[in-house]
Amino acid sequence: MSRNGSDLFLKHAGCTHPIICGPMYPCSNPELVAAASQAGIMGVLQPLTLTYVNGFDFAEGVDRIQQLTDKPIGMNLLIEKSSSRYIERMRSWLDIALDKNIRFFISSLGKPDWVVKRVHEAGGVVYHDVTERHWADKALDCGVDGLIAVNNRAGGHAGAKTPQQLFDELASTGLPLVCAGGISTHRQYQQVLDMGYQAVQMGTRFIASVECNASDLYKRAIVNSTELDIVLSERITGVPVSVINTEHVKQRGLKPNAVERFLLNHPKLKHYMRMLLALKSMRQLRNSLTDSTLDYWQAGKSVDGIDQVLSVEAIVKLLTQDNVSI
């Protein structure tokens, strides 16, 4: 059911409820993405999770998701300036996704001009991750169709502003705004829609789902954590990422060491340093899905409202039913 001006988002996404199951490394396994779309929300695949974590050839992984649901799915593109080989791989995966009739895309960590051009040629839409107006204006110049407003309660690469501050800053863009961060209950879902957002994006709540292939330890950590257990680590990609403050995180520390800090501040070397940090962390985060000795888990402050592991269908019902009070 559409409410509070969600119609344009729902038209763009082709789903029933204005909710995105956000793309997550390493947690967006095919079964989770498909279950989200099947439940009437937008399930978004994360290509590195599909290939590096779950071991699929990209095209075969998309086929697997589309065998599990006939509802629309989306795709995330991490387009930060990196090696030419990486960008070419992203371009190739985008073309495959378009060939397989995916028409909803979320771009992150880069300039989305080439993504917008290619997707618009195929009749699709692009929403871009932003944490402040500066990046929104750059995305606007590229012709994006909507903005994922990543706030200071988000998991993954968190922003610095509250949902209200970010909405006030971005509302005048005139684009559909999706609130990303801090949402796990029906009340929170209603609050951000009443604030004026057209939709919400949720990640942490869906990690603690039956269909997610994260370990039981990871899911239990989410259920048992409060927002005070969520800290920002710069040791994953060089910029703040929300994680659960486990023993591993405490031992590793939250800030880059002196050498890493120097390289991260170097105008010509910072991209390579971020790539090296990300590659190391990608391996550890992937291993943490199954290794009971590695408590290295991303999560946002929405853990506060998560008290049990549920099916995706049950989560969506709890979020969207008007007679629910939590």
Side-chain angles (χ1 to χ4, degrees), residues 29-39 43 64-66 68-69 73:
N29 54 292
E31 294 77 16
L32 174 59
V33 175
S37 289
Q38 194 65 26
R64 170 60 178 160
I65 297 170
Q66 292 180 329
L68 295 171
T69 182
I73 64 172

Side-chain angles (χ1 to χ4, degrees), residues 65-94:
I65 297 170
Q66 292 180 329
Q67 287 165 3
L68 295 171
T69 182
D70 59 358
K71 304 292 179 61
I73 64 172
M75 177 184 174
N76 176 224
L77 288 156
L78 296 171
I79 54 173
E80 183 182 26
K81 185 187 296 184
S82 185
S83 67
S84 58
R85 181 179 177 184
Y86 173 82
I87 293 299
E88 284 307 309
R89 180 183 297 176
M90 283 293 157
R91 289 180 182 273
S92 172
W93 284 345
L94 172 58

Side-chain angles (χ1 to χ4, degrees), residues 182-191 202 205 302 304-306 315 318-320 324-326:
I183 301 158
S184 58
T185 69
H186 176 72
R187 182 181 293 116
Q188 292 163 343
Y189 169 71
Q190 285 186 313
Q191 284 173 342
M202 302 166 59
R205 171 65 272 196
S302 62
D304 240 11
I306 302 172
I315 292 169
L318 281 173
L319 288 167
T320 58
V324 176
S325 61
I326 61 173

